[in-house]
Amino acid sequence: MVMSEKEEIISLVGVPHPIPYQGSKRGLAPIILAYFPANVTRLIEPFAGSAAVSLAAAYRTRIKLFTLNDLNRPLIALWHEIIHEPDDISEAYERLWDAQTGQEREFYDLVREQFNKTQRPDYFLYLLARCVKASVRYNSNGEFNQSPDNRRKGAHPSIMRLNILGASRLLLNKTCLTSLDYKEAVEDAAPTDIIYMDPPYQGVCASRDPRYIGGLTPDSFVDTLHKLNGKGISYIVSYDGRTGS
């Protein structure tokens, strides 16, 4: 039996993950999927990030349609390129990866400066691949300010291309991309949907959390959950917090 291009790419990388993100639920995705109701057809991720749960659900053909939402507009712009223009973003990443050779630190700083001016998706992907612990950080002005991991150059272009093409094959023609407040992103949810939420909680931070481009208050979030309960909408929440002293 001859595999299709989609099957061949997926067989090489398994569940593809083109966007490295600290806190990604890549490892937990199979456990999270086990809690999905049997009759849902659309998965909504209001805090999409690396979309690890959506990719896992698509890989296992558990869900037919996806909505990826994130308040971080450059991140959603990057997802648009990955899904709809996978060859272009792969080639752009490869050009940046090649151009850094011999000047890795200086080049990273230059790309970071240009990204904060232009918000270009290829710049963002390069920064995510190179930054310390794949950990996004923003300053008080909303500018990306994480330092590079000087021990590595980021994912090799051949590996990145496989992950990008794999993600595109899984999500193309099935995915709506939005950059809204999470409350807006779930407004049209129906009982046939499942909402997976991995929100930027403040529970582990004493002050503003630099990991996120925007925060949210727990009280407002709990109010949103009450509204979903009233509409009979299924949802799963990954809670980032702490208990006790």
Side-chain angles (χ1 to χ4, degrees), residues 55-200:
L55 289 167
Y59 179 81
R60 292 168 174 81
T61 63
R62 287 291 306 273
I63 300 293
K64 296 180 180 178
L65 299 171
F66 302 88
T67 294
L68 300 183
N69 178 81
D70 203 287
L71 194 60
N72 189 331
R73 289 183 180 275
L75 180 61
I76 292 301
L78 175 55
W79 270 117
H80 181 274
E81 292 298 298
I82 288 171
I83 295 171
H84 297 284
E85 304 292 343
D87 289 317
D88 289 349
I89 191 68
S90 296
E91 290 167 7
Y93 174 81
E94 183 170 2
R95 286 193 295 269
L96 291 169
W97 195 90
D98 287 342
Q100 73 180 333
T101 303
Q103 53 173 346
E104 286 81 1
R105 177 56 201 257
E106 296 83 358
F107 190 77
Y108 179 95
D109 291 344
L110 176 62
V111 171
R112 184 176 61 187
E113 178 184 353
Q114 291 302 311
F115 168 72
N116 285 325
K117 292 178 180 179
T118 66
Q119 309 288 282
R120 274 178 45 170
D122 57 331
Y123 290 167
F124 196 29
L125 181 59
Y126 172 80
L127 294 174
L128 291 172
R130 283 281 327 273
C131 69
V132 173
K133 297 180 181 178
S135 176
V136 176
R137 292 289 186 272
Y138 296 96
N139 64 22
S140 59
N141 295 321
E143 297 172 323
F144 188 98
N145 68 344
Q146 180 60 294
S147 300
D149 183 343
N150 293 312
R151 300 168 300 175
R152 58 189 183 87
K153 296 183 178 181
H156 191 276
S158 61
I159 301 299
M160 181 63 79
R161 179 180 290 272
L162 282 174
N163 279 287
I164 288 172
L165 292 175
S168 177
R169 299 297 190 275
L170 288 177
L171 299 176
L172 185 63
N173 299 323
K174 304 175 185 176
T175 305
C176 175
L177 297 170
T178 57
S179 185
L180 306 170
D181 181 85
Y182 72 97
K183 295 186 289 294
E184 295 178 75
V186 301
E187 277 185 356
D188 70 340
T192 53
D193 297 329
I194 176 70
I195 303 172
Y196 172 67
M197 289 173 277
D198 186 17

Side-chain angles (χ1 to χ4, degrees), residues 36-37 40 42-44 63 190 192-196 234-236:
F36 276 31
V40 294
R42 180 175 64 149
L43 169 57
I44 302 172
I63 300 293
T192 53
D193 297 329
I194 176 70
I195 303 172
Y196 172 67
S234 298
Y235 59 84
I236 297 172

Side-chain angles (χ1 to χ4, degrees), residues 17 21-32 45 50-53 56 196-198 212 238-240:
H17 289 279
Y21 235 52
Q22 185 184 59
S24 167
K25 296 305 182 286
R26 177 177 182 175
L28 290 175
I31 298 171
I32 294 167
E45 287 203 66
S50 67
V53 174
Y196 172 67
M197 289 173 277
D198 186 17
Y212 302 100
S238 292
Y239 190 86
D240 175 16

